[in-house]
Amino acid sequence: MYYTNGNYEAFAHPRKPKDVDAKSAWLVGSGLASLSAAAFLIRDGQMPGDHIHILEEASLPGGACDGLRIPELGFVIRGGREMENHYECLWDLYRSIPSLEVENASVLDEFYWLNKDDPNFSKNRATLHRGESADTRNRFELSDEAALQLMRLFFTPDDELYDLTIDDVLDEEFYKSNFWLYWQTMFAFEKWHSALEMKLYLQRFLHHIGGLPDLSALKFTKYNQYESLILPLVSYLKEHGVQFHYNARVTNVLFHFLPDKKVAHQLILLRDGKEEVMELTENDLVFVTNGSCTESAALGDNDHPPQLTVESGEGSSWSLWKHLAVQNPLFGRPEKFCSDIQATKWESATVTLLDDRIAPYIQEVCQRDPYSGKVVTGGIVTVKDSAWLMSWTFNRQPHFKAQPKEQLVGWIYGLYPNEPGDYVGKPMEECTGAEICMEWLYHLGVPEVYSSVYDVRCLLNATRYLLDGRKLTEMKLPLPLKIALRAGLDKLDGTTLMELLYRYDLV
């Protein structure tokens, strides 16, 4: 493999590696990384497809790039990858993957033409006060002091940032900037995350700093990423004979350690609940993706919150990584990433609008017709005054091929799921899907669609039942409260509120 700044090396076809026909590949997981590795093994490594084995714990491929229609739940998207034009490996791969949508075109062709014809950008990056624009004016609003803090982080050597959090190197002067609002919500950073990780992100996306305020740095697929990216890639691999093994969880890879290399000699897996030990030879190549942003994800529904059933450090991908790391310190330190669920968890929800009643509110915020088939929000809209630090987005519609034309499918996420919501008063992690939707509608500026705690009629009706038909004046109250109640009722005499008290038999 060669590295270059131009395309001279990139467009040359590699020679066929020696003895590749005698080799086999074993890829753990079927996320985008494993699927891409398999495709590169076929295209550039020229390995026979039927020598490539993908071992997947679940019953379908895609990993975190999912997008499904689950009968009892509806449309579900756990998350999506934000893409830009310098994902060099990704676009190099997809120039070779045939599109499932456009005849005689690659996935890259389809993606490129779509984003040329309908370029992505946001007309309203953030809101305040129940749907009003936060009027960030595409400005970063970094004070001189905050800008210096960011520069110091950018130029600090990596080894001086080990074990430091973002909060260790930045302070409130920086956090009050629009830059932090854009950055934190776009990349899901929190103050206690790694300072080194933030520095590396700054270096990786420096060329897109100008596109952060309006998200013009980003590009999106036509449909959800499962249908637009994963399915074409899986189709390509299957056509080349790649072997997919589902319900197969790899629990460990055992190594022999030689002076100059590490050699895998056993693959241990649970297939359909039964343990298998696979002996490996020098002709077997093993690829492992360590960790996952959707590891141990729990699904709720309209009527039930998700139930997290794992403890910190648990989960199949973390367990595998730990089993690798205990064999050799060069395999890394997984506990740095998985030892505190409370600090690393986040929550998202998929919302499906069954008719057009909410569409005008979305259009008011994003200043685009959500039914146009083109860019809608242009990326996430962050609710700046949300206790959950809620963000939401509607991509091009339909977002699923099977989606009825009158429906809209969007995505909501909260960066602080353990904080009580501004409307529902509960942490996001304790909310049902309906309650998450209520919180979103509140911040969108919709009027209530049914009686609730904020409806005085609902409160009075509940009070009547709680008192078993007794009048307010019949309650056994301390004398000061009884006097205050009488005085209050006298002042209400002849008012609409008194009429309501009579209507609900409370006086």
Side-chain angles (χ1 to χ4, degrees), residues 315-328:
S316 57
S317 64
W318 302 123
S319 176
L320 173 58
W321 190 2
K322 287 179 179 179
H323 288 153
L324 297 177
V326 76
Q327 298 179 59
N328 193 305

Side-chain angles (χ1 to χ4, degrees), residues 34-256:
S34 278
L35 298 177
S36 300
F40 282 126
L41 283 170
I42 292 169
R43 192 194 73 180
D44 296 346
Q46 300 165 63
M47 179 180 284
D50 59 359
H51 289 203
I52 300 172
H53 301 264
I54 295 177
L55 303 165
E56 170 56 51
E57 178 183 13
S59 57
L60 76 170
C65 287
D66 55 11
L68 303 171
R69 189 179 195 177
I70 302 176
E72 63 274 18
L73 297 179
F75 295 111
V76 176
I77 318 159
R78 290 188 298 180
R81 314 288 76 75
E82 294 172 325
M83 295 173 290
E84 47 101 13
N85 56 340
H86 286 292
Y87 277 15
E88 314 292 4
C89 293
L90 189 71
W91 306 135
D92 180 23
L93 169 66
Y94 275 107
R95 70 183 171 89
S96 301
I97 307 301
S99 168
L100 298 181
E101 292 290 307
V102 183
E103 191 173 358
N104 298 320
S106 69
V107 172
L108 176 59
D109 293 332
E110 173 196 344
F111 183 86
Y112 177 83
W113 297 332
L114 174 68
N115 284 278
K116 275 292 184 185
D117 295 340
D118 184 29
N120 186 79
F121 64 96
S122 168
K123 293 185 177 182
N124 190 359
R125 178 62 178 80
T127 62
L128 278 169
H129 311 311
R130 302 194 61 205
E132 295 179 13
S133 173
D135 193 26
T136 60
R137 295 173 295 162
N138 289 348
R139 294 173 60 85
F140 288 120
E141 300 292 352
L142 281 164
S143 67
D144 291 345
E145 181 184 340
L148 286 171
Q149 289 181 29
L150 197 61
M151 289 174 61
R152 280 195 294 269
L153 172 62
F154 188 88
F155 290 111
T156 300
D158 289 0
D159 58 2
E160 293 182 20
L161 295 173
Y162 293 163
D163 291 322
L164 293 183
T165 67
I166 292 172
D167 226 8
D168 290 328
V169 297
L170 302 171
D171 63 23
E172 291 303 321
E173 182 66 20
F174 176 81
Y175 296 144
K176 69 183 183 183
S177 69
N178 284 343
F179 181 94
W180 175 241
L181 176 74
Y182 305 147
W183 186 269
Q184 179 183 25
T185 55
M186 181 175 173
F187 295 120
F189 271 100
E190 302 192 47
K191 297 176 183 178
W192 52 87
H193 287 176
S194 162
L196 176 57
E197 184 179 19
M198 182 165 179
K199 175 202 168 178
L200 296 176
Y201 266 65
L202 282 168
Q203 292 180 334
R204 170 62 179 84
F205 295 106
L206 185 66
H207 57 285
H208 279 315
I209 290 294
L212 290 183
D214 66 356
L215 299 173
S216 58
L218 303 181
K219 292 174 169 60
F220 294 98
T221 53
K222 182 177 181 180
Y223 300 109
N224 61 84
Q225 293 175 2
Y226 180 75
E227 292 182 304
S228 287
L229 294 180
I230 298 299
L231 289 186
L233 186 49
V234 169
S235 176
Y236 169 89
L237 295 176
K238 286 183 175 179
E239 286 177 5
H240 284 80
V242 171
Q243 306 294 302
F244 284 81
H245 306 269
Y246 296 112
N247 303 307
R249 174 189 169 188
V250 176
T251 59
N252 205 352
V253 183
L254 298 181
F255 288 82
H256 291 310

